[in-house]
Amino acid sequence: MFKILEKQVFSPIIKQMVIEAPRVARKCQPGQFVILRIHEEGERIPLTIADFDREKGTITIVFQEVGKTTKQLGTLEAGDYIKDFVGPLGTPSHIENFGTVICVGGGVGIAPVFPIARALKEAGNHVISIIGARTRDLLFWEDRMREVSSELFVTTDDGSYVRKGFVTDVLKEIIDARGKDNINLVLAIGPQPMMRACCNVTKDYGIKTIVSLNALMVDGTGMCGCCRVTVGGQTRFVCVDGPEFDGHQVDFAELARRSATFRAEEQRALERHTCQCGCGGGK
Amino acid sequence: MAEKKEIIPKKHPMPAQEPVERIRNFNEVALGYDEETAVAEAKRCLQCKKEPCRQGCPVEVDIPAFIKLVAERDFAGAIKKIKEKNALPAVCGRVCPQENQCEKYCTLGKKHEPVGIGRLERFCADWELARGVLPQEVAPPTGFKVAVVGSGPAGLTCAADLAKLGHKVTVFEALHVAGGVLMYGIPEFRLPKRVVQAEIENLKKLGVEIVTNAVVGKFATVDELMEEEGFDAVFIGTGAGLPYFMNIPGENSCGVYSANEFLTRTNLMKAYLFPEWDTPIKVGRKVAVIGGGNVAMDAARTALRLGAEESWIVYRRSEKELPARHEEVEHAKEEGIKFAFLTNPVRILADENGWVKGMECLRYELGEPDESGRRRPVPIPGSEFVMDVDTVVVAIGQAPNPLVPRTTRGLELGRKGNIVADPQTGATSKPGVFAGGDVVTGAATVILAMGAGRIAARSIHDYLLHKRA
Ligand SMILES: Cc1cc2nc3c(=O)[nH]c(=O)nc-3n(C[C@H](O)[C@H](O)[C@H](O)COP(=O)(O)OP(=O)(O)OC[C@H]3O[C@@H](n4cnc5c(N)ncnc54)[C@H](O)[C@@H]3O)c2cc1C
Ligand SMILES: Cc1cc2nc3c(=O)[nH]c(=O)nc-3n(C[C@H](O)[C@H](O)[C@H](O)COP(=O)(O)OP(=O)(O)OC[C@H]3O[C@@H](n4cnc5c(N)ncnc54)[C@H](O)[C@@H]3O)c2cc1C
Ligand code: SF4
Ligand code: FES
């Protein structure tokens, strides 16, 4: 059992938790993730390690409530326990001094970008971060991102905060302003359509772009192949070969199709959950 | 041979759930002998002096001796006799390929059906489980700490034997439950999970600590376990969990699963109880399972129970070469599984949403024998045809998972990524590190994994005593 030490509610659907998991915290690196299962009948779901404290033995997760498991997780409070919590999984981000790196975090993708941006900055990079969300309520960690970035740009799709526009608009503006040769790497993490759009932008400029894929998973150790994606024409397992890949090589259309495999079942599980547990899920 | 007696030519039939009934549930198919049937079956045994059956057993269980005890109704004595050699009889009695092992060599089998050795073994083990397994003796603590990586039959056996010898054993398991393939792969209807969990409870009673959710190579490497966590020796029993795919077009379509995913969702995550349990699985109307081993049979029979109208085994050789246990093939046939022999897919066809809508196959014929001595299947040119299926399960084999092999310094690896270990001792190229089971041999059997765990426990014990001296 793994104890929830702290909980913070960023918005009705985005929440942060600090979990006591010393074995995970001891060795984890930016870019890695955990898989958790709330209770005996629960599903195993992957969540990125958004932050960690080796001394305290804790892991921070930030999640968006999109279905049954994330909504149920959202009903737990500090002091409650999660049944299973395994990690660190996946290959850590490749960190070196590339020069100038643009880190793009869309929606809940801001959380996984944070530790990577921090590590890139510590490695000597000039880190330009872009964070964005649909609307002001869904934006979080602006202060933390500012701390680990050389420059920070904020945007909202609906213009309810700072400016109106997609992260891709900002990305394009920055590349145009600085010149494509002055940007050495782009890292984009967020919903699949956002990562795909970022890759479309950078492809034209020929700037290498790393994305972190959120494929469906079961075990997270390379045992089931549920998480397979096509990258550069080859089948790769996101849980062990990734989650980060060269975005220009990823077959996003296939990833989107595979992610929708269980859509009808997910809907059913959610409806059942919403009417039973009184958490007000679905709101 | 003992006294002359009348020979009963056939095994006493195994009571089983009726096929029409069982394809709608996940309960165990074979129900087990009762005492009277077990005694009667035991009395078929001729008590051969040369013990041919015993030579066919990979761990040399004293088969005639335990059968004699069953015939004498000394069931407690019988299970004790079995356990001298086999640590997991309730499991092995259910899943060993007896027809290739002990029963293959049984004297009776030359003219008639062999003694139902597996069934008797299962009977004895179940008899004991029903009464509660007696606590086993544990030697005084030696002060040594051993890490066992992986909790399949190899790891469980190695851990139990080491604990009995007085060592402090910690088992690290990547998944959230211990048991390996016995929990996530082999279905409930063939091996009830309570049987596996009973074995794991016994292990805990011996003082073994089981740490689940612990992926070695990730939270710590084998080297770190030894250098930082103070383990004096490590046993690696991480199995062969990496699924092969066919690398044919369309294989990443929705509705194509590896057998591991299909079975893990069903067995470990209990997708057959969805939505009471949260993990979903989707099986369509017509399912094709590629392969001919136990894994394939399990997947095909599982598909039926999940509601498929038709479930096919698609195998590129002929029926004679099917590597699955005989009983599984028989059960599959009784349940209405269909077989497409000498057939192999070349392409999976998908609809506009990426869902499987068919599978293009080639027909094969058997040519010259290959390295394995079996006749090589050769495609017949122009024999393409499309199978009307909407779900495909790939069950063409597994390789060792590279996670531990790749992260351990100084470990010699074989061509297929398996760990090289001495079959006599389980020793690897790295001092203090031992290995056994599927991670060494490639996908094999429960009994071989168990045997390897037992051998390694012996040599780890010797290694530790030597270390102290
Ligand atoms: C490596 C990795 C890291 C991740 N990190 C985070 C994170 O830090 N924070 C976070 O909020 N989410 C993260 N996700 C996504 C998260 O795992 C899913 O949101 C979660 O599994 C949904 O479970 P559910 O039962 O609540 O919803 P479900 O009922 O399973 O799904 C509901 C909806 O969400 C979609 N969905 C399901 N699984 C995923 C997925 N893996 N990725 C994207 N959409 C999905 C479905 O298509 C469906 O529309 C990550 C995924 C991966 C693979
Ligand atoms: C569907 C199916 C049906 C089968 N049917 C039969 C049958 O009828 N009869 C028969 O004799 N054999 C059968 N087999 C084969 C048999 O189950 C295996 O040969 C046997 O389980 C191998 O045992 P093992 O201990 O080596 O490994 P496994 O049982 O594979 O166990 C390995 C364990 O190690 C864990 N692990 C892996 N990597 C790590 C890591 N890095 N850190 C921590 N833990 C890790 C895994 O999660 C797993 O729990 C079947 C196999 C399958 C898949
Ligand atoms: S070979 Fe068959 S008949 Fe002979 S001792 Fe073994 S089980 Fe009994
Ligand atoms: S999640 Fe099972 S192999 Fe990646």
Side-chain angles (χ1 to χ4, degrees):
Chain A
M1 300 288 265
F2 297 80
K3 192 172 185 179
I4 302 170
L5 298 175
E6 290 169 33
K7 176 183 178 184
Q8 228 175 310
V9 177
F10 293 146
S11 85
I13 57 161
I14 297 189
K15 294 170 185 173
Q16 169 184 320
M17 284 178 178
V18 177
I19 314 284
E20 185 172 43
R23 270 193 210 283
V24 185
R26 236 182 61 189
K27 285 272 151 51
C28 68
Q29 298 292 334
Q32 291 189 295
F33 63 96
V34 295
I35 285 188
L36 62 79
R37 197 174 71 126
I38 301 176
H39 54 82
E40 183 58 29
E41 292 83 28
E43 188 170 15
R44 294 168 65 98
I45 66 156
L47 293 173
T48 309
I49 297 173
D51 201 0
F52 50 88
D53 186 325
R54 299 207 201 284
E55 254 147 51
K56 293 199 189 120
T58 61
I59 295 290
T60 302
I61 52 173
V62 179
F63 57 94
Q64 177 166 1
E65 298 181 4
V66 295
K68 153 100 202 253
T69 305
T70 44
K71 279 196 198 301
Q72 198 166 21
L73 186 60
T75 65
L76 300 183
E77 299 296 338
D80 289 342
Y81 287 84
I82 292 173
K83 189 145 198 324
D84 298 295
F85 194 85
V86 56
L89 300 172
T91 306
S93 308
H94 175 71
I95 304 292
E96 64 170 64
N97 191 348
F98 297 97
T100 297
V101 182
I102 303 182
C103 294
V104 191
V108 75
I110 297 168
V113 163
F114 169 76
I116 306 172
R118 179 172 59 191
L120 285 168
K121 179 119 179 289
E122 278 166 9
N125 290 282
H126 182 80
V127 175
I128 305 172
S129 296
I130 306 170
I131 59 172
R134 222 164 50 231
T135 182
R136 176 178 196 150
D137 274 359
L138 300 177
L139 202 69
F140 60 94
W141 280 16
E142 184 184 345
D143 48 339
R144 302 193 75 182
M145 281 303 294
R146 198 173 300 282
E147 255 170 57
V148 301
S149 311
S150 317
E151 301 174 58
L152 179 73
F153 295 82
V154 181
T155 183
T156 45
D157 297 359
D158 65 357
S160 53
Y161 187 60
V162 184
R163 65 163 278 179
K164 183 178 162 72
F166 298 118
V167 287
T168 41
D169 299 334
V170 184
L171 176 63
K172 204 162 175 329
E173 287 165 22
I174 296 175
I175 300 172
D176 285 337
R178 314 281 163 105
K180 66 178 168 58
D181 298 332
N182 298 319
I183 309 295
N184 304 93
L185 184 75
V186 171
L187 169 85
I189 307 183
Q192 286 172 19
M194 171 236 139
M195 293 191 281
R196 191 177 186 173
C198 286
C199 291
N200 286 341
V201 169
T202 55
K203 198 164 196 166
D204 295 339
Y205 295 103
I207 306 172
K208 179 160 178 176
T209 301
I210 302 293
V211 292
S212 179
L213 302 183
N214 45 8
L216 295 178
M217 293 186 180
V218 182
D219 62 300
T221 65
M223 179 269 270
C224 76
C226 170
C227 62
R228 63 198 192 278
V229 286
T230 304
V231 182
Q234 287 200 334
T235 295
R236 310 290 300 275
F237 288 4
V238 173
C239 70
V240 285
D241 302 326
E244 290 176 15
F245 292 99
D246 178 346
H248 295 152
Q249 306 285 322
V250 172
D251 184 343
F252 280 103
E254 178 189 275
L255 177 66
R257 285 196 299 269
R258 287 187 59 78
S259 298
T261 303
F262 300 108
R263 183 131 312 150
E265 287 74 14
E266 286 159 356
Q267 196 55 39
R268 218 175 124 202
L270 179 60
E271 278 160 14
R272 202 169 167 275
H273 170 74
T274 312
C275 59
Q276 286 190 351
C277 88
C279 73
K283 70 185 166 196
Chain B
M1 246 178 255
E3 83 240 50
K4 269 263 180 238
K5 61 178 172 186
E6 198 190 327
I7 287 176
I8 304 171
K10 284 189 181 298
K11 287 183 195 174
H12 288 77
M14 182 63 138
Q17 276 197 75
E18 286 301 322
V20 283
E21 202 57 48
R22 72 193 192 220
I23 58 170
R24 278 185 264 124
N25 67 51
F26 274 83
N27 301 337
E28 191 168 20
V29 167
L31 301 172
Y33 282 163
D34 59 15
E35 287 189 12
E36 294 318 311
T37 318
V39 170
E41 181 65 21
K43 285 184 174 158
R44 289 181 67 220
C45 172
L46 306 172
Q47 291 296 317
C48 313
K49 285 260 154 39
K50 283 196 174 155
E51 310 183 329
C53 49
R54 192 174 183 180
Q55 292 154 32
C57 173
V59 298
E60 295 175 22
V61 168
D62 192 342
I63 293 167
F66 102 75
I67 293 184
K68 184 156 182 279
L69 290 164
V70 175
E72 292 164 357
R73 291 182 179 272
D74 180 0
F75 305 130
I79 186 64
K80 198 160 162 235
K81 183 54 78 187
I82 296 173
K83 282 196 158 176
E84 283 172 11
K85 296 287 182 185
N86 186 340
L88 304 168
V91 176
C92 291
R94 286 174 167 83
V95 306
C96 269
Q98 286 94 3
E99 71 272 16
N100 295 326
Q101 299 179 172
C102 52
E103 293 182 18
K104 179 175 178 178
Y105 298 94
C106 172
T107 311
L108 263 188
K110 298 220 161 73
K111 280 202 187 134
H112 310 283
E113 281 188 10
V115 174
I117 301 172
R119 295 172 183 184
L120 289 172
E121 179 182 28
R122 168 182 166 172
F123 166 79
C124 296
D126 285 358
W127 183 90
E128 186 193 38
L129 281 179
R131 277 154 193 80
V133 177
L134 294 177
Q136 287 168 288
E137 266 175 58
V138 173
T142 59
F144 286 113
K145 272 174 70 179
V146 184
V148 169
V149 186
S151 63
L156 292 178
T157 307
C158 187
D161 285 4
L162 286 167
K164 283 185 237 165
L165 290 165
H167 305 297
K168 177 85 195 82
V169 184
T170 307
V171 178
F172 294 103
E173 167 55 49
L175 292 170
H176 57 261
V177 295
V181 168
L182 309 182
M183 285 305 287
Y184 78 72
I186 304 182
E188 175 78 17
F189 59 79
R190 207 147 71 75
L191 178 62
K193 301 309 149 213
R194 63 175 166 78
V195 172
V196 185
Q197 288 312 310
E199 294 297 351
I200 288 159
E201 285 311 310
N202 290 334
L203 200 60
K204 290 186 188 156
K205 284 189 201 137
L206 292 172
V208 171
E209 186 193 1
I210 300 182
V211 184
T212 51
N213 297 311
V215 186
V216 173
K218 288 293 181 186
F219 82 90
T221 61
V222 167
D223 294 279
E224 286 161 352
L225 288 177
M226 298 176 87
E227 288 157 19
E228 294 171 19
E229 301 207 17
F231 287 100
D232 300 289
V234 177
F235 174 76
I236 304 173
T238 48
L242 187 79
Y244 286 128
F245 283 92
M246 298 176 289
N247 294 316
I248 59 173
E251 206 170 13
N252 292 347
S253 307
C254 302
V256 182
Y257 302 89
S258 74
N260 276 2
E261 180 185 354
F262 195 73
L263 293 169
T264 301
R265 282 184 181 274
T266 314
N267 301 322
L268 182 70
M269 305 311 297
K270 305 253 185 294
Y272 61 92
L273 299 177
F274 180 87
E276 276 77 36
W277 287 58
D278 291 345
T279 306
I281 193 161
K282 208 155 181 162
V283 354
R285 282 183 317 110
K286 296 187 180 181
V287 179
V289 178
I290 321 300
N294 288 320
V295 184
M297 297 303 145
D298 284 343
R301 298 174 66 196
T302 295
L304 216 54
R305 284 161 172 77
L306 289 170
E309 288 164 23
E310 270 180 32
S311 181
W312 286 84
I313 289 281
V314 178
Y315 182 54
R316 65 196 180 113
R317 299 181 196 255
S318 73
E319 174 161 10
K320 223 174 70 218
E321 288 85 18
L322 277 178
R325 288 179 79 216
H326 180 67
E327 189 189 15
E328 284 354 296
V329 178
E330 286 310 308
H331 279 161
K333 284 185 181 165
E334 287 168 18
E335 291 169 9
I337 302 292
K338 300 183 151 86
F339 291 81
F341 293 114
L342 294 165
T343 304
N344 208 31
V346 286
R347 191 155 67 101
I348 293 166
L349 311 169
D351 66 16
E352 63 283 1
N353 297 317
W355 274 89
V356 176
K357 67 166 187 191
M359 186 168 78
E360 187 178 313
C361 299
L362 270 180
R363 298 220 191 269
Y364 280 61
E365 59 193 354
L366 291 180
E368 297 298 307
D370 62 13
E371 322 81 73
S372 72
R374 297 178 298 179
R375 291 175 64 194
R376 188 193 303 275
V378 240
I380 304 172
S383 65
E384 289 87 353
F385 71 102
V386 173
M387 269 184 91
D388 171 26
V389 296
D390 53 14
T391 306
V392 176
V393 180
V394 184
I396 57 168
Q398 298 105 245
N401 190 316
L403 217 51
V404 172
R406 261 194 219 150
T407 54
T408 309
R409 278 197 308 267
L411 209 53
E412 190 191 337
L413 303 182
R415 209 163 40 88
K416 291 186 172 162
N418 54 305
I419 297 178
V420 176
D422 182 339
Q424 307 302 321
T425 63
T428 68
S429 55
K430 190 178 171 75
V433 177
F434 298 75
D438 282 4
V439 72
V440 171
T441 56
T445 60
V446 171
I447 189 70
L448 287 172
M450 197 227 79
R454 180 147 269 188
I455 288 171
R458 245 298 130 207
S459 24
I460 291 173
H461 183 63
D462 292 344
Y463 167 82
L464 293 173
L465 296 187
H466 190 75
K467 202 172 157 180
R468 174 145 63 201

